[in-house]
Amino acid sequence: ILNVEQSPQSLHVQEGDSTNFTCSFPSSNFYALHWYRWETAKSPEALFVMTLNGDEKKKGRISATLNTKEGYSYLYIKGSQPEDSATYLCASLIQGAQKLVFGQGTRLTINP
Amino acid sequence: DTEVTQTPKHLVMGMTNKKSLKCEQHMGHRAMYWYKQKAKKPPELMFVYSYEKLSINESVPSRFSPECPNSSLLNLHLHALQPEDSALYLCASSPRVLRKAFNEQFFGPGTRLTVL
């Protein structure tokens, strides 16, 4: 069974502060890790697809790192804004599989 | 057009009803997916279609019947559902199936289904 764990489950951050959260996944047979942002009443939106150990990707104020040997990824948000409030999902894909296995998500709330 | 659309947004049905969920994309994607998401749980894969052929069925009960009539359209036919089937049903697409490329998935907004 492939377990993808995210922590914390929820997070409240003051506007302007930076924050980060974690996704843990089994490192064996790793193929790719996906990050999605899911705002309430909208579609989940892809942020990053990461594949190589040591990968760092950036999109505006959001960045992510990947450690495939130890099985974790961090998502960082710099200078949080109210529009960053969303649930952030990570999902792991193992080699040969067509199936993404999602974590439960980190629900981020930015307080103005 | 980089959007996946789903209809209806909300659906309430009785256990004897037959209904269908519809998903559409015009991005030329050849892989399409149905997910089920219960409250406070992660999305769980139900079905994968690749080039209009069913590629994965995650042991989903036969009261859920998927159909992919063409490369842009994916349906989920519902019959004799149970109250525990109430959930958000998400459709997604990707250029190819995930194991062949490092594709992201594009999701629709989901259909909120309530079974009475």
Side-chain angles (χ1 to χ4, degrees), chain B residues 42-72:
Chain B
E44 289 183 359
L45 184 68
M46 299 174 73
F47 302 105
V48 179
Y49 272 83
S50 176
Y51 288 86
E52 296 95 68
K53 287 190 170 48
L54 184 63
S55 179
I56 290 183
N57 176 342
E58 286 284 309
S59 303
V60 179
S62 59
R63 57 186 185 267
F64 295 91
S65 174
E67 179 197 19
C68 190
N70 60 58
S71 60
S72 300

Side-chain angles (χ1 to χ4, degrees), chain A:
Chain A
I1 296 175
L2 181 65
N3 285 327
V4 178
E5 305 283 344
Q6 290 188 248
S7 62
Q9 285 190 15
S10 67
L11 193 53
H12 290 254
V13 173
Q14 207 59 34
E15 183 176 352
D17 288 352
S18 297
T19 188
N20 65 83
F21 29 92
T22 308
C23 172
S24 300
F25 53 88
S27 54
S28 57
N29 299 315
F30 173 84
Y31 189 72
L33 187 84
H34 292 220
W35 279 102
Y36 292 85
R37 174 172 59 200
W38 195 356
E39 294 178 66
T40 303
K42 293 191 178 179
S43 309
E45 173 201 355
L47 290 173
F48 306 113
V49 177
M50 308 179 77
T51 57
L52 297 175
N53 186 45
D55 251 355
E56 287 190 35
K57 294 211 171 180
K58 191 174 179 185
K59 196 177 203 176
R61 294 179 292 97
I62 304 177
S63 60
T65 61
L66 180 67
N67 183 321
T68 62
K69 293 188 190 309
E70 294 178 50
Y72 64 84
S73 175
Y74 294 135
L75 191 83
Y76 301 89
I77 302 178
K78 188 177 175 183
S80 304
Q81 299 297 308
E83 60 264 29
D84 297 328
S85 295
T87 296
Y88 290 82
L89 290 167
C90 70
S92 178
L93 185 66
I94 62 172
Q95 286 182 21
Q98 297 181 49
K99 175 181 170 177
L100 277 177
V101 177
F102 284 84
Q104 287 193 292
T106 292
R107 186 176 184 87
L108 176 66
T109 305
I110 307 301
N111 301 317

Side-chain angles (χ1 to χ4, degrees), chain B residues 24-39:
Chain B
E24 203 160 359
Q25 56 87 15
H26 296 285
M27 294 177 277
H29 290 176
R30 303 313 297 269
M32 295 185 79
Y33 311 79
W34 280 115
Y35 287 88
K36 175 181 177 179
Q37 200 232 357
K38 302 277 276 184

Side-chain angles (χ1 to χ4, degrees), chain B residues 101-116:
Chain B
F102 301 120
N103 305 148
E104 62 204 42
Q105 286 189 337
F106 292 74
F107 282 87
T111 293
R112 176 75 60 191
L113 174 69
T114 303
V115 182
L116 300 176

Side-chain angles (χ1 to χ4, degrees), chain A residues 41, chain B residues 6-13 19-21 87-88 109-114:
Chain B
Q6 287 188 246
T7 53
K9 284 189 165 53
H10 300 274
L11 178 63
V12 179
M13 62 186 289
K19 297 284 184 184
S20 296
L21 309 185
L88 181 70
T111 293
R112 176 75 60 191
L113 174 69
T114 303

